[in-house]
Amino acid sequence: MEGQLILIRHGNAEERTPEGDDFYRKLTEAGVEELTAFLPDIAPLLTESGNLKIWTSPLLRARQTAELVAEATSVEVIQPQAFLATGDYIAFMEALKQEDDGFTLALVGHEPYMSSWTKELIGAAIPFKKGAVALFTVDSTAEPIGNLEWLLAPGESAKCKHADVSDKKHAADKHEGTADCCQGEGEDTLYAAIINEQMVGVQHAYAAYQQDPIEPESAHALRVAIRQLRALLNFNKANGEEKYYREAGEDWRDIATTFGYLRELDVLMEECRELRGLYPDMLAEDGQVMTWLLEERQGEQDSIHELITSGALTERILDAEAATAHFLKSINLDDDQQKKATIKKIEKMKKRLMRKWEEVDFSNHEQTHSLRINAKKLRYAATYLAPIMGEKDKDTIKEMKKVQTALGTLCDFDINGHLLLEMADKTDDPELQHHFRTLSEHQFQRREAMLNDEAD
């Protein structure tokens, strides 16, 4: 069984009310307008195979969405399917088996079922915004059976999906600073395109973590993707509505924090492996310390898994994306104004950070940690906002990388040292307590030695 599945979440609908019937909740006027603008843009991607069928949940908001999809793709027949309302994946697979190879099916349904079905298809739950569309290639002989080809939502045009952002910049320059869409609307600017691309990166990193949660780099890549996004949002903090900026920033921070302890454990375990030459018996892979750390990591991984399977973490991501979209709409800078503001702010941030670099007390962890974070924020801005400025600020990127590198090891030694002390307090085993405290002291001594080298 081979073909294409297109999962579509219905558009923005009326709010649920205690006295209302959920079946008859319809799309809002804004929801219809949003889909009407979005669907024709992606219609060529949906009809490439030429044999598109549309199945829909019988609920009114889904049927209305399916009708808009049919209109955009010139499909005449829409088939209601009860399993798209109930999320019955087994019933869906039974129906899918009746289709000939080479099928292309568009399925219009609801959350959390769209996310849970992607878990079945590709091994990872992908958050679906309202109106989001994802295309999967399917091969029943493969494991997993699906492969995500693309995911788009209203506000992310197919053209932007397949064109390089620099091409859009070229178009903006050609029209004397105005982009190829309406100006003065934050969601249609180069900055918005960059933010949307970053959110897609977060979604892919979220899927990659679920597919391989044991791999340390998967959690790290997800946290980095979220931090990059937060840094770019922070860059325009003063130019949009504070309420939405605060909501988006807090939501993304909470999601990143979910993976914080896991990352700290991975860094500590890597450090312990590097110290095995000094403490061969203490840090043997099957010894007390490494066994304890592995069990601690597994427990943290299991806690995150529960958040994912319950849908709670996916819901947080959807909330963060919605707040981010509102923030983008509240920004009233066109591309030309954004370019001037970006260049000015990067220069201001750089001067302030380099002044703090000259004044920082390297023995103070809070100061070094804060400076390191700000250096990352500035490096991310200089790197990812390059399409707005016209080119990368290579000098700033190089200098901030130098600051990060200098402070990174100091910060890791301090975090590792305190983490090991916390672990010593967690265990009742005297020998294991001794091991943790010995390793903790070693981390603090290495930090002190590094500080002395800096002083010299």
Side-chain angles (χ1 to χ4, degrees):
M1 181 181 66
E2 295 182 8
Q4 293 182 330
L5 288 177
I6 301 162
L7 268 56
I8 304 172
R9 186 184 180 189
H10 66 78
N12 279 297
E14 294 173 333
E15 294 294 329
R16 188 192 305 269
T17 60
E19 64 278 4
D21 188 336
D22 182 62
F23 186 94
Y24 291 105
R25 286 170 54 209
K26 62 184 180 181
L27 295 179
T28 63
E29 184 176 334
V32 172
E33 290 177 356
E34 190 174 56
L35 288 172
T36 301
F38 171 58
L39 290 171
D41 188 35
I42 66 166
L45 298 176
L46 306 181
T47 56
E48 284 179 338
S49 66
N51 61 341
L52 179 65
K53 290 184 180 180
I54 300 175
W55 293 355
T56 184
S57 157
L59 276 61
L60 180 56
R61 56 192 180 275
R63 283 189 284 123
Q64 289 178 314
T65 301
E67 288 167 1
L68 293 172
V69 174
E71 182 180 349
T73 56
S74 300
V75 173
E76 295 182 0
V77 178
I78 300 172
Q79 184 175 347
Q81 297 282 15
F83 52 71
L84 283 166
T86 62
D88 188 339
Y89 184 77
I90 295 175
F92 158 62
M93 289 303 294
E94 288 300 318
L96 186 60
K97 290 176 184 177
Q98 308 305 313
E99 296 296 311
D100 295 331
D101 277 351
F103 61 81
T104 301
L105 284 174
L107 314 175
V108 184
H110 313 263
E111 278 285 66
Y113 307 133
M114 296 290 97
S115 295
S116 64
W117 284 19
T118 64
K119 179 76 171 177
E120 297 288 346
L121 291 170
I122 66 171
I126 305 260
F128 275 69
K129 299 180 188 178
K130 289 177 182 176
V133 181
L135 186 143
F136 304 81
T137 52
V138 174
D139 179 356
S140 60
T141 65
E143 180 58 41
I145 67 168
N147 183 61
L148 176 63
E149 299 297 331
W150 52 261
L151 171 67
L152 288 167
E156 305 166 22
S157 73
K159 180 168 59 179
C160 290
K161 174 71 178 176
H162 296 291
D164 190 89
V165 176
S166 62
D167 292 338
K168 191 170 184 246
K169 175 67 173 67
H170 175 71
D173 291 341
K174 185 177 179 181
H175 294 282
E176 298 182 350
T178 59
D180 54 356
C181 42
C182 296
Q183 287 300 302
E185 297 183 6
E187 70 270 30
D188 289 327
T189 60
L190 275 167
Y191 174 75
I194 291 167
I195 294 297
N196 283 322
E197 190 66 24
Q198 288 294 318
M199 286 199 288
V200 170
V202 171
Q203 290 170 341
H204 284 289
Y206 182 47
Y209 168 77
Q210 292 175 69
Q211 291 170 322
D212 194 3
I214 297 174
E215 169 56 48
E217 281 306 308
S218 66
H220 179 52
L222 177 55
R223 291 183 76 228
V224 168
I226 295 172
R227 285 179 168 180
Q228 289 170 345
L229 177 57
R230 288 190 67 215
L232 297 179
L233 290 175
N234 177 266
F235 192 84
N236 248 332
K237 176 181 179 180
N239 299 320
E241 192 166 333
E242 182 182 356
K243 171 188 174 183
Y244 295 128
Y245 167 77
R246 187 173 63 253
E247 287 179 3
E250 289 175 356
D251 285 345
W252 289 121
R253 182 192 61 208
D254 289 347
I255 296 162
T257 300
T258 301
F259 298 86
Y261 185 47
L262 195 68
R263 176 58 183 167
E264 288 179 353
L265 287 169
D266 287 336
V267 171
L268 177 58
M269 289 168 71
E270 182 60 29
E271 173 69 5
C272 286
R273 290 187 177 102
E274 291 184 5
L275 293 177
R276 191 167 293 160
L278 287 175
Y279 305 100
D281 296 331
M282 184 188 299
L283 295 176
E285 196 66 39
D286 58 351
Q288 278 185 304
V289 170
M290 295 305 294
T291 298
W292 198 96
L293 291 176
L294 285 167
E295 290 176 352
E296 183 77 356
R297 190 192 192 282
Q298 185 61 54
E300 186 65 11
Q301 183 182 310
D302 290 344
S303 296
I304 294 172
H305 180 70
E306 288 180 13
L307 287 175
I308 293 172
T309 55
S310 70
L313 194 54
T314 297
E315 192 63 33
R316 286 188 205 172
I317 293 174
L318 289 169
D319 288 343
E321 289 179 341
T324 301
H326 285 304
F327 176 63
L328 291 176
K329 290 179 181 178
S330 72
I331 296 172
N332 293 314
L333 297 180
D334 63 26
D335 285 339
D336 191 48
Q337 293 168 328
Q338 185 71 70
K339 178 177 180 179
K340 294 175 182 177
T342 297
I343 293 172
K344 182 177 179 181
K345 183 161 184 179
I346 282 182
E347 189 59 33
K348 182 178 179 180
M349 290 172 66
K350 183 177 176 181
K351 287 181 179 178
R352 183 169 65 242
L353 192 141
M354 295 312 294
R355 184 172 65 250
K356 289 184 177 180
W357 171 253
E358 296 296 329
E359 300 170 353
V360 66
D361 176 3
F362 289 97
S363 65
N364 185 312
H365 173 70
E366 295 302 322
Q367 286 188 27
T368 56
H369 184 59
S370 175
L371 189 59
R372 182 190 184 195
I373 290 173
N374 287 328
K376 284 183 180 181
K377 288 181 179 179
L378 182 51
R379 181 167 68 90
Y380 295 151
T383 301
Y384 293 101
L385 298 179
I388 294 173
M389 297 183 291
E391 61 181 357
K392 287 186 179 181
D393 186 343
K394 294 180 180 178
D395 289 340
T396 296
I397 294 170
K398 184 178 179 180
E399 288 185 63
M400 293 308 102
K401 185 67 175 177
K402 179 181 177 181
V403 171
Q404 277 185 249
T405 302
L407 299 177
T409 306
L410 273 176
C411 291
D412 285 346
F413 283 153
D414 191 88
I415 293 170
N416 287 344
H418 284 97
L419 194 58
L420 286 160
L421 286 178
E422 291 174 11
M423 291 174 179
D425 292 337
K426 283 184 179 181
T427 179
D428 295 326
D429 186 322
E431 184 176 3
L432 191 53
Q433 287 178 345
H434 172 72
H435 290 337
F436 282 143
R437 287 175 180 143
T438 298
L439 292 169
S440 173
E441 183 62 26
H442 185 272
Q443 295 295 288
F444 290 135
Q445 287 176 353
R446 291 183 70 185
R447 187 175 189 276
E448 191 65 29
M450 190 174 179
L451 287 171
N452 290 335
D453 286 342
E454 290 292 334
D456 293 341

